[in-house]
Amino acid sequence: MAEEARWYVAHTYSGYENKVRESILSTVKNRNMEDQILEVEIPLEDSVEEKNGKQVVVQRKVFPGYVLVHMIMNDYTWYIVRNTRGVTGFVGPGSKPVPLTDEEVRKLGISSAMFRIDCELGDSVQITNGPFEGSVGEVTEIRPEEGIVVVGLSIFGRSTPVELSFEHIRKI
């Protein structure tokens, strides 16, 4: 089975987040690693500040000193990110990076681009994880901004909608 890309958190020097992001993306492009390091994000939020007596909306970093990297973790990708100028390490015990859970990723609302799915409304899918693993149903709703797909499963002879993470289904 091919490795699955997950979101990891890299710690950076404060103020270096944008430089780190650009450096990683540049390295990925130069080394043709687009299939291993998919995205680098800096979560931002709108904040209202007062400047010159007027209220203005500015974007602030949600987690100063951190960047989020959507990647397939292996020795090579670990080395590329870890040795990017301005990166001090990954979040996790010792030198072992720990990926964010699907729920943490959804709560961060990083971007809808992170949720890639190759099925459409009406497609038949098989559930690959959780209590309904192995069950087959029909896609009735797709919510890419949340990473959720609703699948109609036949339970006790009735179609019952079940919300699932994109990662937990496979198109048949």
Side-chain angles (χ1 to χ4, degrees):
M1 186 174 114
E3 278 287 319
E4 183 180 326
R6 301 290 307 266
W7 284 94
Y8 295 87
V9 180
H11 189 263
T12 69
Y13 293 123
S14 191
Y16 276 70
E17 301 90 353
N18 292 330
K19 288 180 184 138
V20 164
R21 179 178 185 275
E22 295 309 314
S23 292
I24 293 172
L25 291 174
S26 175
T27 301
V28 165
K29 187 173 189 276
N30 291 339
R31 297 185 186 203
N32 295 319
M33 297 176 61
E34 290 89 347
D35 59 336
Q36 295 178 64
I37 299 178
L38 308 174
E39 298 174 78
V40 183
E41 296 289 340
I42 303 166
L44 301 171
E45 64 184 355
D46 289 337
S47 176
V48 178
E49 288 185 359
E50 193 168 313
K51 289 189 179 179
N52 299 328
K54 294 181 181 176
Q55 289 191 340
V56 293
V57 177
V58 296
Q59 287 199 315
R60 290 189 178 279
K61 292 177 182 80
V62 178
F63 305 110
Y66 295 93
V67 296
L68 305 176
V69 185
H70 192 205
M71 62 190 274
I72 295 171
M73 183 60 72
N74 57 42
D75 290 345
Y76 187 54
T77 57
W78 178 90
Y79 180 85
I80 294 298
V81 175
R82 179 64 186 87
N83 289 290
T84 298
R85 185 181 182 116
V87 173
T88 60
F90 281 98
V91 172
S95 62
K96 178 147 177 53
V98 176
L100 294 173
T101 65
D102 296 339
E103 185 178 342
E104 289 169 330
V105 170
R106 273 194 296 280
K107 284 182 179 176
L108 287 172
I110 299 165
S111 77
S112 59
M114 76 185 119
F115 299 113
R116 299 187 191 344
I117 187 166
D118 66 347
C119 67
E120 299 174 2
L121 293 177
D123 284 352
S124 291
V125 295
Q126 182 173 30
I127 299 173
T128 60
N129 195 327
F132 298 106
E133 183 174 355
S135 298
V136 174
E138 181 180 308
V139 176
T140 59
E141 184 181 348
I142 299 174
R143 299 196 310 254
E145 67 283 350
E146 300 172 54
I148 299 288
V149 66
V150 179
V151 176
L153 293 181
S154 179
I155 301 175
F156 301 122
R158 296 178 55 184
S159 179
T160 305
V162 178
E163 288 189 1
L164 300 161
S165 170
F166 282 178
E167 294 90 21
H168 297 160
I169 63 166
R170 176 175 53 86
K171 185 176 175 180
I172 300 177

